[in-house]
Amino acid sequence: MSRNNDGFLAKGYKIRNICTKDDAVIAKIIRTNLQRYHLDIPGTAYFDPELDHLSAFYAEHPDRRSYFVVTNEKDEVVGGVGFAEFEGLPKCAEVQKLYLDESVKGLGLSKKMMEVIEVKAKELGYKQLYLETHTNLAVAVRLYEKLGYESIAQPVPTVHTTMNKFYLKKF
């Protein structure tokens, strides 16, 4: 498999909306990543009550939320990303739970997934995207900055109290 830096999905990979059958797999991918980076602690997505049922959480308000998974050539879920309304800023959504399985990191999939959610967020009327991350996730921080997200002060108290980096991108 070759690296993909041109914005197109690597051969054999597809992005689609999450469905119920994806819930356990994406929850495992998220928790595995958080453990790997020593973020399997309170104040992170590791303990989010909706983590084991992401499809239901995002389906509850499809006019304000979306979650996408990326699948490989065997139609196995290897990552995902979503967004939901963010009350802390006007006409703003929050990027949520961008994680990939270790086996597919470095293929440009995160960049493509971010492009997909930016398009969908605009379609739903959002004017900006907010995200929070942690310095332990250095590759993610570089990606967000490369995609034009600007570092900001924490805008409001957040659920994920362990996160220590905050970003915003206006459309």
Side-chain angles (χ1 to χ4, degrees):
M1 254 178 258
S2 62
R3 292 186 181 270
N4 178 12
N5 296 317
D6 59 6
F8 293 99
L9 224 46
K11 186 178 180 184
Y13 293 90
K14 296 179 182 169
I15 295 176
R16 62 169 170 75
N17 287 304
I18 192 170
C19 57
T20 306
K21 70 176 182 163
D22 305 324
D23 285 342
V25 175
I26 198 65
K28 182 179 180 186
I29 290 170
I30 292 168
R31 286 191 176 107
T32 298
N33 272 275
L34 289 168
Q35 288 170 342
R36 179 182 172 98
Y37 293 97
H38 311 290
L39 293 170
D40 52 336
I41 55 177
T44 69
Y46 194 91
F47 292 101
D48 283 359
E50 72 275 358
L51 187 57
D52 292 308
H53 308 283
L54 286 181
S55 62
F57 174 78
Y58 288 93
E60 188 177 351
H61 296 287
D63 57 325
R64 299 190 315 243
R65 305 174 182 164
S66 287
Y67 196 89
F68 297 92
V69 295
V70 61
T71 60
N72 64 16
E73 58 280 345
K74 297 176 186 173
D75 200 35
E76 299 165 327
V77 172
V78 294
V81 66
F83 68 88
E85 62 279 5
F86 182 69
E87 302 301 327
L89 297 166
K91 294 192 178 194
C92 186
E94 178 184 10
V95 176
Q96 299 178 334
K97 299 170 181 63
L98 171 62
Y99 292 98
L100 289 172
D101 185 82
E102 279 303 308
S103 67
V104 297
K105 290 184 178 178
L107 299 176
L109 298 173
S110 292
K111 178 182 177 193
K112 187 60 179 174
M113 289 192 304
M114 288 295 291
E115 292 170 359
V116 167
I117 66 162
E118 286 179 9
V119 168
K120 183 66 176 177
K122 287 178 193 176
E123 286 175 6
L124 294 181
Y126 291 110
K127 302 294 183 195
Q128 51 191 349
L129 280 173
Y130 162 81
L131 65 87
E132 51 198 39
T133 189
H134 194 277
T135 50
N136 287 11
L137 303 171
V139 172
V141 168
R142 283 194 303 276
L143 172 70
Y144 301 139
E145 291 174 353
K146 184 177 179 180
L147 293 177
Y149 287 78
E150 295 182 13
S151 182
I152 61 169
Q154 184 176 2
V156 294
T158 62
V159 173
H160 298 134
T161 54
T162 300
M163 299 297 108
N164 63 5
K165 296 202 58 87
F166 309 91
Y167 288 90
L168 188 67
K169 183 174 184 177
K170 297 180 181 183
F171 303 134

